[in-house]
Amino acid sequence: MPVAYQAPDFLHPVAGVRLGVAEAAIKKPGRKDLLVIELAPGTRVAGVFTQNRFAAAPVQVCRTVLASGAPVRALVVNSGNANAATGQGGLDDAQAVAAAVAAAVGCEAGHVLPFSTGVIGQRLPVARMVAAAPAAHADLRADGWLDAMRAIMTTDTVGKGATRRVATSQGEVTVTGIAKGVGMIHPNMATMLAYVGTDAPLSPATTQAALQTAVNRSFNCVTVDGDTSTNDACVLFATARAGSRDIEVGDADYAAVYGAIEQVCLELAHAIVRDGEGATKFVTIDVGGASDEAAARQVALSVAHSPLVKTALFASDANWGRIVMAIGKSGVPVDPARVDLWLDDVCLLRGGQPHPDYVEDAGAAVVAQPEFRIRIGLGDGDAQATVWTCDFSYDYVKINAEYRT
Amino acid sequence: MPVAYQAPDFLHPVAGVRLGVAEAAIKKPGRKDLLVIELAPGTRVAGVFTQNRFAAAPVQVCRTVLASGAPVRALVVNSGNANAATGQGGLDDAQAVAAAVAAAVGCEAGHVLPFSTGVIGQRLPVARMVAAAPAAHADLRADGWLDAMRAIMTTDTVGKGATRRVATSQGEVTVTGIAKGVGMIHPNMATMLAYVGTDAPLSPATTQAALQTAVNRSFNCVTVDGDTSTNDACVLFATARAGSRDIEVGDADYAAVYGAIEQVCLELAHAIVRDGEGATKFVTIDVGGASDEAAARQVALSVAHSPLVKTALFASDANWGRIVMAIGKSGVPVDPARVDLWLDDVCLLRGGQPHPDYVEDAGAAVVAQPEFRIRIGLGDGDAQATVWTCDFSYDYVKINAEYRT
């Protein structure tokens, strides 16, 4: 059960984007596990990918296609198999699937981006996927977003989607996105995938810049377990159907369009944490008073990753000693005598020492809530950062211990 | 239940060292929770301490005493309260306890090292500790090591001690050590403390060098949860009673004495992992073929810290995809096409791809054992490193979620 999150029941179509799904029985029969996203000619596509050195075969293919500057006409995504640690055979498989989709769409194989999510170290059932590609193509619809959202799920307990409309000087612009993921990243299955489309006429360079900034402020600010998958990918495509003049960073319309993109990414990123494996709490960690944003972020992530903090949150225990420990081990040269700590509006520490008015019941009341905020002041500057995370429960261990059994 | 570890029932005395315990009812009455270790005049003392910025008050006092070069005549250790995040009052408390022990021993207050382990953020019951100091002093015995071992336990399920005797050109030398700790470090209670004594005439500089090297090869190579306490400390004291000529690094006798110190430290460090909170497996992670030792260590720790790897180990699941993921996210520029992976003698990956002869049952048989080895070859050089860790079980969550309830 995700923490206060429900799958959307409506997502705005994006002019120039059609989506279709089909059953390829990749892990097992009985579900639509192959997704094709067709993009109108002229669509600008940007991607960010996992930093894991064991990048999966489809990630390697995507990087090559995007680096070539080739016009991307379609994406193909499968759940049930990650096509990672599969060597040259895996690269061949990813290209064969892309070629089948290219044939259906009517473009070159090098103009299709492949994505996979699922178990590591097994070859894709290429024949079944190639055979299913025409069916996915035949299913293409502008209103296919909700089915697409479901097709990419693995152990997600809910589909994750977000949608926004904003006004620009060239008319209304739509931004719609879908994502999957339940551990921050899972080598076998979960891993994060996100696809965000807009009809805004973002220039190619602006599409990349907007994606990078939005990812840094959303997907890169959430953590479930600190692990990093072999398959992570986030793609932004701008079909440029809503306007004839390209929007560049700094243009009057950019702020509105970028704002919608960031909101969609943030909503999807939060949905991943809310649906985090075994999560019972959604926790916002705000670090302020830092010398720079990187230091603030490093402290926030140290708290967010600490198993001792996360197990205390699960127990609704306002165990601030563990938070202090995690601040102190972050690697940032924090001065303990300047550190303040709050749970929501309850002050626990002032200048590194227990606040004289603090009573345990007040802290316990905050952390008993399904959502709350840990606020940390470092007293060392003006920079701040925010990170979102969940707790660490019996069910996290259960889900991950029993995944393959 | 620790993994294949029992508390020792005998520890060799060390000439020049006497230990005594007393009940100060620090957390609750009914147990000996105050330990005094008296050192003969002329003993050389070296310490290494937590890198956590929120170092506890006693750690701060120890650093000051050792930096002053003052002769250390006694150590005082309490369990049940960490005296951390207690500000100036905590420093005053640590000094008051040291002064009481100094009065009993007959030395200056600045010649006593204080140590604390237990709950963070609460002031020490100084009056009870000062009152108990004479009783601990009256209890001083050369054979007090086993009682000392028990006095410093918190949630340890067994006491941890190790002892060795080796021959030198000046006669037989003894090395005996005790430690406590069950999470790699715990902000509230566990935290690691270790005390190792020898009668070898190590020079002051050699005492420090031997300790630093031994810690790097033992306590710094084990991890339970990757958290780092506010109170960690490891102290080596050399009473110089077994010989009249100082031993320096490089002397003929140094290798034998250092070897015994490292063995004692390694045995204590392994005992901490074997008694790791909720541990059901003791796992050795060997990384070879690295460009340098730091890279090997970084890869080994990335695997050892991964919650996904640790939950799979708990489930006796030879889920090599998660190991590959952890190698790839380590930050070391690993070339996947050169990576080999074994579980004990079973080869799973060769050159980054599943070994053709590997069958799941063979891997499962290895990880079903209570102790096994993960071997990783990076194919990038000759350097290697070894790290020891345990699995991540329901009981880890239970112990840490319910600690304060």
Side-chain angles (χ1 to χ4, degrees):
Chain A
M1 274 286 295
V3 181
Y5 182 79
Q6 291 188 315
D9 53 15
F10 176 77
L11 295 170
H12 292 295
V14 175
V17 178
R18 296 195 305 158
L19 310 97
V21 297
E23 177 182 333
I26 291 164
K27 189 173 182 184
K28 55 189 179 191
R31 80 175 272 241
K32 310 282 192 186
D33 48 13
L34 190 73
L35 163 67
V36 170
I37 305 177
E38 181 202 54
L39 305 175
T43 297
R44 296 83 192 258
V45 178
V48 294
F49 299 94
T50 179
Q51 298 301 303
N52 197 301
R53 298 285 301 183
F54 274 88
V59 168
Q60 297 177 54
V61 173
C62 282
R63 284 186 171 132
T64 303
V65 170
L66 289 173
S68 76
V72 175
R73 286 298 315 285
L75 286 63
V76 54
V77 190
N78 72 270
S79 53
N81 185 315
N83 192 10
T86 45
Q88 182 60 46
L91 289 169
D92 296 343
D93 293 346
Q95 281 160 336
V97 172
V101 171
V105 169
C107 69
E108 294 180 31
H111 299 177
V112 175
L113 299 180
F115 303 84
S116 295
T117 180
V119 176
I120 279 185
Q122 294 180 14
R123 296 285 294 273
L124 285 180
V126 174
R128 290 202 298 276
M129 294 171 71
V130 167
H137 181 259
D139 187 51
L140 289 173
R141 297 155 280 146
D143 65 353
W145 285 93
L146 289 176
D147 284 340
M149 175 183 83
R150 292 178 202 115
I152 64 175
M153 289 169 64
T154 53
T155 53
D156 303 65
T157 70
V158 285
K160 297 163 183 74
T163 193
R164 291 285 189 287
R165 283 196 161 160
V166 291
T168 74
S169 65
Q170 300 186 73
E172 190 170 57
V173 157
T174 298
V175 178
T176 295
I178 57 174
K180 60 88 49 175
V182 285
M184 182 52 195
I185 275 16
H186 287 228
N188 303 56
M189 42 179 307
T191 84
M192 190 201 83
L193 295 177
Y195 304 94
V196 179
T198 178
D199 49 6
L202 299 178
S203 74
T206 299
T207 304
Q208 184 69 46
L211 176 66
Q212 193 63 59
T213 305
V215 167
N216 282 344
R217 294 182 183 170
S218 57
F219 297 110
N220 284 349
C221 292
V222 297
T223 171
V224 170
D225 51 24
D227 279 327
T228 310
S229 100
T230 50
N231 289 57
D232 276 7
C234 181
V235 176
L236 173 64
F237 31 90
T239 62
R241 294 301 168 104
S244 53
R245 295 185 315 279
D246 273 7
I247 298 173
E248 302 288 353
V249 175
D251 288 354
D253 285 335
Y254 180 72
V257 176
Y258 173 76
I261 292 169
E262 184 178 308
Q263 284 172 32
V264 165
C265 287
L266 203 54
E267 193 171 323
L268 294 173
H270 286 184
I272 286 172
V273 175
R274 290 176 185 280
D275 197 22
E277 291 179 325
T280 72
K281 316 258 181 190
F282 179 78
V283 184
T284 301
I285 301 174
D286 272 336
V287 174
S291 56
D292 56 41
E293 189 182 329
R297 186 177 158 78
Q298 193 171 333
V299 169
L301 285 173
S302 182
V303 174
H305 285 155
S306 164
L308 288 171
V309 170
K310 291 164 85 81
T311 48
L313 297 180
F314 167 55
S316 298
D317 179 4
N319 192 329
W320 59 268
R322 296 185 182 180
I323 300 173
V324 160
M325 174 281 301
I327 297 169
K329 73 157 187 165
S330 66
V332 172
V334 167
D335 179 355
R338 294 183 183 183
V339 170
D340 300 331
L341 174 67
W342 294 262
L343 293 170
D344 282 350
D345 295 324
V346 176
C347 183
L348 287 83
L349 285 187
R350 176 71 76 177
Q353 296 186 49
H355 192 286
D357 297 340
Y358 175 66
V359 291
E360 185 87 13
D361 285 353
V366 173
V367 298
Q369 305 171 103
E371 298 189 30
F372 55 89
R373 188 175 297 261
I374 298 173
R375 292 163 55 205
I376 296 162
L378 300 180
D380 195 35
D382 295 324
Q384 80 90 38
T386 301
V387 158
W388 294 271
T389 193
C390 57
D391 56 339
F392 215 169
S393 70
Y394 295 119
D395 279 352
Y396 177 88
V397 176
K398 182 179 171 68
I399 290 166
N400 284 297
E402 298 179 0
Y403 167 55
R404 303 207 314 174
T405 57
Chain B
M1 274 287 293
V3 181
Y5 182 79
Q6 290 188 313
D9 54 14
F10 175 78
L11 295 170
H12 291 296
V14 175
V17 179
R18 296 196 304 159
L19 311 95
V21 298
E23 176 181 333
I26 290 164
K27 190 174 181 182
K28 55 190 178 191
R31 79 174 271 240
K32 311 281 191 188
D33 48 13
L34 190 73
L35 162 68
V36 170
I37 305 178
E38 181 201 54
L39 305 175
T43 298
R44 296 79 191 261
V45 178
V48 294
F49 299 94
T50 178
Q51 298 301 303
N52 196 300
R53 298 288 299 184
F54 274 87
V59 168
Q60 296 178 53
V61 173
C62 282
R63 284 186 172 132
T64 303
V65 169
L66 289 172
S68 76
V72 175
R73 287 298 317 284
L75 285 64
V76 53
V77 190
N78 73 270
S79 54
N81 184 315
N83 192 11
T86 45
Q88 182 60 45
L91 288 169
D92 296 343
D93 293 346
Q95 280 160 336
V97 172
V101 170
V105 169
C107 69
E108 292 180 33
H111 299 177
V112 175
L113 299 179
F115 302 84
S116 295
T117 180
V119 176
I120 279 186
Q122 294 179 15
R123 294 288 293 273
L124 286 180
V126 173
R128 290 202 298 277
M129 294 171 71
V130 167
H137 181 258
D139 187 52
L140 288 174
R141 296 155 281 146
D143 65 353
W145 285 94
L146 289 175
D147 284 342
M149 175 183 83
R150 292 178 201 115
I152 63 175
M153 290 169 63
T154 53
T155 52
D156 302 65
T157 70
V158 286
K160 297 163 183 75
T163 192
R164 290 287 189 287
R165 282 196 161 158
V166 291
T168 74
S169 65
Q170 301 185 71
E172 190 170 57
V173 157
T174 298
V175 179
T176 295
I178 55 174
K180 59 88 50 176
V182 285
M184 182 50 197
I185 272 26
H186 287 228
N188 302 54
M189 43 177 308
T191 83
M192 190 201 80
L193 295 178
Y195 304 95
V196 178
T198 180
D199 48 6
L202 299 178
S203 74
T206 299
T207 304
Q208 183 70 47
L211 177 66
Q212 191 64 60
T213 305
V215 166
N216 282 344
R217 295 182 183 170
S218 58
F219 298 110
N220 285 349
C221 293
V222 296
T223 171
V224 171
D225 51 22
D227 278 327
T228 310
S229 101
T230 51
N231 289 57
D232 276 7
C234 180
V235 176
L236 173 65
F237 31 91
T239 62
R241 293 300 168 106
S244 54
R245 296 185 315 279
D246 274 7
I247 298 173
E248 304 287 353
V249 175
D251 288 354
D253 285 336
Y254 180 72
V257 176
Y258 172 76
I261 291 169
E262 184 179 307
Q263 284 172 30
V264 164
C265 287
L266 203 54
E267 191 170 325
L268 294 173
H270 286 185
I272 287 172
V273 175
R274 290 176 184 281
D275 197 22
E277 292 178 325
T280 72
K281 314 258 182 189
F282 178 77
V283 184
T284 302
I285 301 175
D286 272 336
V287 175
S291 57
D292 57 41
E293 189 182 331
R297 186 177 159 78
Q298 193 171 332
V299 169
L301 285 172
S302 182
V303 175
H305 285 156
S306 164
L308 287 171
V309 171
K310 291 163 85 81
T311 48
L313 297 179
F314 167 56
S316 298
D317 178 5
N319 192 329
W320 59 268
R322 295 185 183 180
I323 299 172
V324 160
M325 173 283 301
I327 297 168
K329 73 159 186 163
S330 67
V332 173
V334 167
D335 179 354
R338 294 184 183 181
V339 170
D340 300 332
L341 175 68
W342 295 263
L343 293 170
D344 281 350
D345 295 324
V346 176
C347 184
L348 287 82
L349 286 187
R350 178 71 76 177
Q353 296 186 48
H355 192 287
D357 297 340
Y358 175 67
V359 290
E360 186 87 13
D361 285 352
V366 173
V367 298
Q369 305 169 105
E371 298 190 27
F372 55 89
R373 188 174 295 262
I374 298 173
R375 293 163 55 205
I376 297 162
L378 301 180
D380 195 34
D382 296 324
Q384 80 91 37
T386 302
V387 159
W388 295 271
T389 193
C390 57
D391 57 337
F392 216 171
S393 70
Y394 295 121
D395 279 352
Y396 177 87
V397 176
K398 181 178 171 70
I399 290 165
N400 284 296
E402 297 178 359
Y403 168 55
R404 303 206 314 175
T405 58

